[in-house]
Amino acid sequence: MSRNVNPIHTGVITVGAIHSGEAPNVMPGVAELRLTVRAFRPEVRDLLERRINEVAHAQAAEFDATAEVRYQRRYPMLHNHAAETARCTQVITHQRGPEGMATKQVPLCGAEDFAFFVERVPGCYVFLGNGEGVGGGCMRHNASYDFNDRVLSTGATYWVKFTEAYLCKA
């Protein structure tokens, strides 16, 4: 990444799965790597797609092998809209007070289905706050994930208050 993407622009390639062979004493004929690519800028996504293809084919050629790259653009970048973010912020601060709102968050490179919705309809993605968990195990997409049941009432109350605020303003 450091040789291809400007350090102030985010670009992440994660090798999440490697599948190859079954026996410890036999060289497999095929190896499969499954990657996830995350970037905030479309031009960085384009660059990463191009470089993955170039590197895969160059490495295969180095060992007199072949490579096949199937690159799928699955999730778009999720961008919150200003008006909807302001409405969500107002509901949260009214419900939880100013301390209940984390305002200085850094962008996350997650893949989220909600991104498809906000491409078509203005919206805002909100984190309820799952807590730190034992050993930091509350982050999603890890083997230690443990949902914090205490946030269920927080989430339900938020949606009731949000709906009330939306209907009163509509």
Side-chain angles (χ1 to χ4, degrees):
M1 295 302 295
S2 65
R3 289 170 179 81
N4 291 271
V5 177
N6 185 323
I8 63 170
H9 302 146
T10 299
V12 177
I13 299 174
T14 302
V15 179
I18 300 173
H19 302 282
S20 179
E22 296 293 325
N25 62 338
V26 177
M27 294 296 290
V30 175
E32 177 183 29
L33 281 69
R34 294 186 179 186
L35 314 176
T36 299
V37 174
R38 311 276 170 92
F40 293 136
R41 296 168 176 247
E43 62 271 17
V44 173
R45 288 180 78 166
D46 293 342
L47 173 66
L48 296 178
E49 179 178 3
R50 181 175 57 80
R51 290 297 293 144
I52 287 169
N53 271 284
E54 290 171 354
V55 170
H57 288 96
Q59 286 295 304
E62 187 72 24
F63 294 98
D64 198 27
T66 59
E68 176 187 349
V69 177
R70 291 180 298 214
Y71 193 98
Q72 297 175 322
R73 292 198 180 218
R74 298 182 71 193
Y75 292 91
M77 185 61 204
L78 191 157
H79 294 281
N80 288 336
H81 294 87
E84 288 68 24
T85 301
R87 181 177 287 146
C88 292
T89 300
Q90 183 180 22
V91 170
I92 291 168
T93 54
H94 185 262
Q95 176 188 354
R96 310 286 295 174
E99 66 280 353
M101 182 74 189
T103 57
K104 303 230 180 197
Q105 296 298 310
V106 297
L108 300 174
C109 279
E112 177 53 53
D113 295 341
F114 189 72
F116 292 109
F117 292 107
V118 294
E119 278 189 326
R120 290 175 175 78
V121 178
C124 175
Y125 190 81
V126 175
F127 286 98
L128 292 176
N130 197 33
E132 293 301 317
V134 178
C138 276
M139 285 301 294
R140 296 144 329 279
H141 303 289
N142 80 52
S144 301
Y145 179 74
D146 181 22
F147 182 79
N148 181 355
D149 293 338
R150 293 182 305 240
V151 300
L152 289 171
S153 62
T154 303
T157 303
Y158 167 77
W159 284 112
V160 168
K161 298 296 184 188
F162 180 85
T163 303
E164 288 173 348
Y166 182 80
L167 293 175
C168 290
K169 303 258 182 189

